[in-house]
Amino acid sequence: MATQLIELDARGLEPPQPRQKILEALATLPDGVTLATRTDRQPLLLYPMLEQRGFAYETNPQSDGSHLTHIRRR
């Protein structure tokens, strides 16, 4: 079974808006669904918040300079 994916593009927003949008989306993320986020920079300040809330994540830089982060419940 393929993993269900929800995409969130938070590029072009001033900090802390990308982090706020991501946390708002995670608040209603169903179990078994991965949130794929795109940000202009690596979301370093987001990582401790994800860990506190029980999420696993992986960030990969993209060729356009953005960062793609996949977030899912542990």
Side-chain angles (χ1 to χ4, degrees), residues 53-69:
R53 289 167 170 79
F55 290 97
Y57 57 87
E58 179 180 348
T59 300
N60 294 299
Q62 304 298 293
S63 60
D64 65 358
S66 69
H67 287 79
L68 177 62
T69 304

